[in-house]
């Protein structure tokens, strides 16, 4: 395939995904249809079907792109020269990627509603990905080996960390109202301080 044709195909696919994301966010999965997505994307409905089998397939591609972007943000290597607070804040911000803009918050609400309604579908989708906790588990293990944190069970500690961030910030934003990230910073700082205090290595306690 000529390079120009490949670029044109790639641009159309990107336009379709962006259009679908907008439509799913604005009117939800059930109300979304290919006609509306084609209109927003600026392509024909036939072009959409050239790229995606159906609405569910398109939704899965939007989901894959969305979760992949977040997972990329979570790829944080442990740095012995950087403060624990700064590194854990980076993990927290990667989690809050889901809600830190109106468009991503809207899409997160759609995904949450679909997952809650169809638990088996949610499990099938999640099974395609490495655990979202895995990067933090690796980071916690490295911090333990560096004797800065005492982590006897890294998967459990990762669950504790995300339970704190999600419970205090993510879920309220999804089910109540958008969170002012600047106003939420003191709460996030307190959560991270509490986590570090719980797991700080005895050798590093003051």
């Amino acid at each position: 395939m000529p390079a120009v044709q490949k670029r044109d195909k790639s641009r159309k696919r990107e336009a379709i995904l962006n259009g679908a994301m907008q439509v799913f966010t604005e009117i939800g999965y059930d109300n979304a249809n290919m006609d509306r997505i084609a209109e927003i994307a600026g392509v024909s409905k036939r072009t959409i079907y050239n790229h995606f089998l159906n609405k569910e397939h398109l939704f899965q591609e939007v989901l894959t792109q969305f979760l992949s972007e977040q997972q990329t943000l979570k790829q944080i290597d442990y740095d012995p020269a950087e403060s624990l607070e700064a590194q854990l804040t980076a993990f927290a911000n990667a989690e809050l990627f889901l809600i830190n803009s109106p468009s991503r918050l809207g899409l997160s609400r759609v995904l949450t509603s679909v997952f809650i309604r169809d638990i088996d579908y949610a499990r099938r989708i999640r099974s395609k990905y490495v655990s979202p906790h895995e990067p933090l588990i690796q980071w916690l293990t490295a911090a333990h080996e560096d004797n800065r944190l005492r982590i006897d069970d890294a998967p459990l500690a990762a669950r504790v960390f995300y339970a704190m961030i999600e419970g205090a910030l993510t879920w309220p934003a999804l089910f109540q109202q958008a969170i002012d990230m600047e106003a939420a910073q003191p709460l996030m700082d307190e959560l991270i301080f509490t986590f570090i205090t719980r797991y700080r290595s005895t050798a590093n306690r003051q």
Side-chain angles (χ1 to χ4, degrees), residues 18-28 31-33 36-37 40:
N18 290 337
M21 183 179 294
Q22 180 178 333
V23 173
F24 289 136
T25 298
E26 290 177 350
I27 61 178
N31 294 325
N33 58 68
R36 179 59 176 161
I37 293 171
I40 295 298

Side-chain angles (χ1 to χ4, degrees), residues 130-158:
V130 175
S131 167
H133 293 180
E134 189 59 34
L136 178 58
I137 291 171
Q138 294 179 9
W139 185 93
L140 290 168
T141 300
H144 173 80
E145 292 173 350
D146 194 31
N147 202 32
R148 295 177 74 189
L149 294 177
R150 180 176 177 178
I151 307 293
D152 297 321
D153 186 336
L156 176 60

Side-chain angles (χ1 to χ4, degrees), residues 71 74-76 78 87-92 131-143 149 151 154-163 165 195:
Q71 196 66 10
K74 290 185 176 183
Q75 301 307 310
I76 301 166
Y78 174 74
Q87 293 178 75
L88 286 172
T89 295
F91 277 104
S131 167
H133 293 180
E134 189 59 34
L136 178 58
I137 291 171
Q138 294 179 9
W139 185 93
L140 290 168
T141 300
L149 294 177
I151 307 293
L156 176 60
R159 288 178 60 191
V160 169
F161 179 81
Y162 282 116
I165 299 299
F195 182 84

Side-chain angles (χ1 to χ4, degrees), residues 56 111-125:
E56 181 179 353
L111 299 181
T112 301
S113 68
V114 170
F115 283 174
I116 289 175
R117 185 178 58 196
D118 191 341
I119 300 299
D120 289 336
Y121 176 71
R123 287 172 179 162
R124 289 198 304 274
I125 293 297

Side-chain angles (χ1 to χ4, degrees), residues 11-192:
R11 284 196 295 268
K12 285 184 178 179
R13 181 181 176 84
E14 183 178 356
I16 293 168
L17 287 172
N18 290 337
M21 183 179 294
Q22 180 178 333
V23 173
F24 289 136
T25 298
E26 290 177 350
I27 61 178
Y29 176 80
D30 290 334
N31 294 325
N33 58 68
M34 293 303 208
D35 290 310
R36 179 59 176 161
I37 293 171
E39 178 184 353
I40 295 298
V43 301
S44 68
K45 189 161 69 171
R46 181 175 180 177
T47 297
I48 294 180
Y49 283 114
N50 286 338
H51 290 268
F52 304 98
L53 294 175
N54 49 43
K55 186 174 76 170
E56 181 179 353
H57 182 216
L58 179 51
F59 180 73
Q60 289 176 359
E61 287 296 313
V62 169
L63 174 59
T64 295
Q65 179 174 287
F66 186 53
L67 295 180
S68 294
E69 289 177 3
Q70 186 198 30
Q71 196 66 10
T72 297
L73 293 175
K74 290 185 176 183
Q75 301 307 310
I76 301 166
D77 293 328
Y78 174 74
D79 184 350
E82 189 173 7
S83 72
L84 298 174
E85 289 82 0
Q87 293 178 75
L88 286 172
T89 295
F91 277 104
N93 285 331
E95 173 61 30
L96 298 181
F97 166 84
L98 297 174
I99 61 168
N100 66 7
S101 78
S103 61
R104 287 195 289 268
L105 174 59
L107 184 57
S108 292
R109 284 172 171 160
V110 173
L111 299 181
T112 301
S113 68
V114 170
F115 283 174
I116 289 175
R117 185 178 58 196
D118 191 341
I119 300 299
D120 289 336
Y121 176 71
R123 287 172 179 162
R124 289 198 304 274
I125 293 297
R126 281 297 184 184
S127 68
K128 297 179 180 179
Y129 301 91
V130 175
S131 167
H133 293 180
E134 189 59 34
L136 178 58
I137 291 171
Q138 294 179 9
W139 185 93
L140 290 168
T141 300
H144 173 80
E145 292 173 350
D146 194 31
N147 202 32
R148 295 177 74 189
L149 294 177
R150 180 176 177 178
I151 307 293
D152 297 321
D153 186 336
L156 176 60
R159 288 178 60 191
V160 169
F161 179 81
Y162 282 116
M164 294 169 70
I165 299 299
E166 292 170 358
L169 298 170
T170 307
W171 290 105
L174 287 173
F175 291 104
Q176 297 174 24
Q177 59 184 0
I179 284 184
D180 182 330
M181 300 304 294
E182 184 176 350
Q185 190 63 49
L187 174 57
M188 188 166 76
D189 291 344
E190 184 67 17
L191 294 173
I192 291 172

Side-chain angles (χ1 to χ4, degrees), residues 1 3-16 50-51:
M1 182 182 296
V4 173
Q5 189 174 350
K6 285 184 178 180
R7 286 196 297 270
D8 183 61
K9 187 175 182 179
S10 178
R11 284 196 295 268
K12 285 184 178 179
R13 181 181 176 84
E14 183 178 356
I16 293 168
N50 286 338
H51 290 268

